[in-house]
Amino acid sequence: MIKKTVNTVQEALDGVEDNMTFMLGGFGLSGIPENAIAELVKRNVKNVTCISNNAGVDDFGLGLLLQKKQIKKMVSSYVGENDEFERQMLSGELDVELIPQGTLAERCRAAQAGFPAIYTPAGYGTEVAEGKETREFDGKMYVLEHAFKAHFAFVKAWKGDEAGNLIFKGTARNFNPVMCGAAKITVAEVEELVPAGELDPNQIHIPGIFVQRIFKGETFEKRIEQRTVRPKK
Amino acid sequence: MLDKNGIAKRIAKEVKDGFYVNLGIGIPTLVANFVRDDIEVEFQSENGVLGMGPFPFEGEEDADIINAGKQTITTLPGASFFDSAMSFSMIRGQHVHLTILGAMEVAENGDIANWKIPGKMVKGMGGAMDLVASAENIIVAMMHTNRAGESKLLKKCSLPLTGVGCVKKIVTNMAVLEVTDQGFKLLERAPGVSVEDIKNATEGTLIINGDIPEMDI
């Protein structure tokens, strides 16, 4: 067994520097790598590019890095619910590349799977496709989108083992699996870390080969963005 | 004239037995409340769930189970979770039968704009561009006019496009319309709304053939 465990978040983020490009899993605040984000805030790395579906909210998730002006560029599909983000974008302090959500997922997956680029119908005929190569297949138009290149991928899983195998829970899975192995170094934080052999190989979502470092997150706040309920009858 | 629930109720009639359906945020979300309970339908949310159920009971919310609007939800028997790439494989691969989404503008050729108002609103397109580029069956749920009273059914969209020539059907508070090669074909009018009212509220080409029935809702 090739062991991937590191003991602390500090160790997990060894090698993180200014000007790097990071992938961060999560959809809204669900399934975000909270511990890695907290450490990035603490280290105050600057001028970074973040590839993440969303940009957090003002006081949580990637919003924490935005507050400290650590982010140079965001690559996302949806960035509502964040006033500081909007302020920095409209004032020109923050460079923003908005891309379709399926394209974001597939540009990660392409990097993971060894494809230099993919063709997608999403965004054809819109400003998203401006300046990009397009091609017709069977009478329909497609846009060429390139695989991402990133230094680190920070993902969050529910359970993991020493070998780096990961299991996700519910919709907290989202972008996390497609970012594993899509960057030079993938760092996974998990709620439960178990010895190798304790997870059923049939149930593994992401094999450890895609993960370089795994650690048990110290805390998970798991904040809910929109608490919606129905009354008990 | 219909309210938002009325629009959702009318669209629910388009949802057929055996359909996998993706609902957008806003009025489309309400459609789930009005689908007949004698048919089998599964709702997909692009953040990675198929077989969405109602909101959880108070105290049973789970931060790990949300919909694309980031609302806490539940799942129904037969539900599944998956990653974002697989979710959009369902969408781009045309495995989802029906997409219902909102719009800021629709053009008579089926173009749709719903993600950006330059200099004002910059939230992003989320999954909308993937949905409209791929789905065979797209229904737009929206008000017929904007807050300033201007038509949202136009000859040509003025806002940045989300997709080109993709909308097939539109249900508004005033009418049901189909996008044809000649323009918006009026199919039904909302209770208490005249053809003349719809004409006045539609900037794009409106095709009126014979008597236009009132919606049955």
Side-chain angles (χ1 to χ4, degrees):
Chain A
M1 190 260 301
I2 302 171
K3 206 169 168 175
K4 303 292 173 69
T5 44
V6 293
N7 292 319
T8 61
V9 65
Q10 290 81 9
E11 210 181 316
L13 268 69
D14 192 31
V16 162
E17 288 173 16
D18 292 353
N19 307 310
M20 281 187 163
T21 297
F22 303 141
M23 289 178 168
L24 299 106
F27 186 99
L29 300 178
S30 189
I32 59 172
E34 297 183 22
N35 291 276
I37 290 171
E39 180 63 17
L40 288 170
V41 172
K42 208 179 281 176
R43 290 193 184 201
N44 202 22
V45 284
K46 296 279 191 191
N47 242 4
V48 297
T49 296
C50 291
I51 298 164
S52 168
N53 189 54
N54 313 94
V57 294
D58 279 320
D59 62 344
F60 197 57
L62 282 177
L64 298 171
L65 268 76
L66 284 165
Q67 270 183 16
K68 287 184 68 190
K69 303 200 168 71
Q70 292 175 254
I71 304 177
K72 175 184 68 176
K73 182 180 180 181
M74 278 298 309
V75 181
S76 303
S77 89
Y78 187 83
V79 292
E81 279 77 68
N82 192 322
D83 295 338
E84 177 61 16
F85 183 97
E86 197 159 355
R87 192 197 66 71
Q88 288 186 23
M89 175 164 69
L90 293 174
S91 70
E93 290 166 60
L94 180 68
D95 187 10
V96 179
E97 184 183 349
L98 290 169
I99 60 175
Q101 196 176 133
T103 302
L104 181 67
E106 218 54 36
R107 289 176 69 184
C108 293
R109 213 192 71 83
Q112 176 192 62
F115 295 120
I118 51 109
Y119 281 103
T120 177
Y124 177 76
T126 75
E127 63 180 52
V128 163
E130 278 168 22
K132 290 176 185 166
E133 190 182 322
T134 57
R135 184 168 164 180
E136 187 183 325
F137 294 92
D138 293 328
K140 187 169 172 167
M141 294 305 294
Y142 296 81
V143 185
L144 187 72
E145 295 279 5
H146 290 262
F148 285 125
K149 287 190 173 75
H151 298 92
F152 279 86
F154 299 111
V155 304
K156 188 261 167 181
W158 178 35
K159 291 180 185 174
D161 68 13
E162 293 171 297
N165 294 308
L166 302 177
I167 296 177
F168 302 91
K169 183 172 162 251
T171 53
R173 190 180 317 189
N174 56 63
F175 285 85
N176 287 298
V178 292
M179 289 177 173
C180 289
K184 281 183 185 143
I185 297 173
T186 297
V187 176
E189 57 187 81
V190 296
E191 291 178 53
E192 279 179 55
L193 184 61
V194 300
E198 285 201 12
L199 299 178
D200 177 355
N202 287 299
Q203 305 299 324
I204 302 294
H205 292 136
I206 282 291
I209 191 170
F210 292 116
V211 175
Q212 278 68 49
R213 302 172 190 169
I214 186 169
F215 70 101
K216 186 181 179 304
E218 203 167 301
T219 54
F220 286 100
E221 182 181 332
K222 294 175 74 164
R223 196 186 291 188
I224 291 175
E225 212 166 326
Q226 305 281 342
R227 189 178 296 275
T228 44
V229 293
R230 67 191 145 133
K232 272 189 178 152
K233 276 185 189 143
Chain B
M1 202 97 80
L2 301 176
D3 60 6
K4 288 179 176 181
N5 276 303
I7 296 172
K9 203 170 169 187
R10 174 59 191 81
I11 292 177
K13 291 178 64 181
E14 307 286 325
V15 178
K16 306 284 192 262
D17 189 38
F19 268 20
Y20 293 106
V21 182
N22 181 288
L23 300 178
I25 294 163
I27 302 173
T29 307
L30 301 171
V31 172
N33 300 333
F34 300 104
V35 174
R36 281 162 46 191
D37 52 15
D38 61 337
I39 62 173
E40 294 299 331
V41 174
E42 284 194 28
F43 291 105
Q44 195 250 21
S45 197
E46 62 266 25
N47 60 317
V49 55
L50 191 61
M52 253 193 299
F55 294 146
F57 290 122
E58 209 172 335
E60 294 175 9
E61 314 91 275
D62 185 342
D64 292 333
I65 303 180
I66 63 168
N67 64 17
K70 287 109 178 175
Q71 297 171 309
T72 45
I73 54 156
T74 59
T75 54
L76 296 173
S80 55
F81 297 116
F82 34 83
D83 66 57
S84 301
M86 188 175 282
S87 180
F88 283 92
S89 297
M90 294 176 189
I91 290 165
R92 280 189 317 264
Q94 299 186 340
H95 307 285
V96 171
H97 298 104
L98 174 63
T99 289
I100 302 165
L101 77 174
M104 298 193 275
E105 295 177 349
V106 177
E108 61 186 45
N109 67 345
D111 288 356
I112 178 173
N114 72 352
W115 74 282
K116 185 180 183 183
I117 303 173
K120 271 191 194 165
M121 189 207 77
V122 280
K123 290 179 189 295
M125 68 291 282
M129 283 194 181
D130 307 271
L131 284 158
V132 301
S134 313
E136 289 273 291
N137 197 358
I138 298 173
I139 300 179
V140 165
M142 67 176 191
M143 295 310 212
H144 212 98
T145 53
N146 64 19
R147 283 189 192 134
E150 298 154 345
S151 181
K152 294 170 72 172
L153 291 103
L154 308 172
K155 287 191 187 310
K156 200 172 182 302
C157 291
S158 65
L159 295 169
L161 295 182
T162 308
V164 290
C166 50
V167 176
K168 302 288 185 301
K169 205 173 225 183
I170 305 147
V171 179
T172 73
N173 52 330
M174 300 181 82
V176 180
L177 308 105
E178 188 188 336
V179 175
T180 69
D181 292 344
Q182 288 79 43
F184 299 114
K185 186 180 175 193
L186 184 58
L187 299 180
E188 298 171 23
R189 52 196 174 76
V193 175
S194 70
V195 170
E196 204 53 35
D197 293 337
I198 297 165
K199 261 192 203 167
N200 291 335
T202 309
E203 193 237 39
T205 308
L206 190 66
I207 300 157
I208 304 157
N209 285 338
D211 275 348
I212 306 300
E214 193 175 288
M215 286 179 207
D216 176 25
I217 55 168

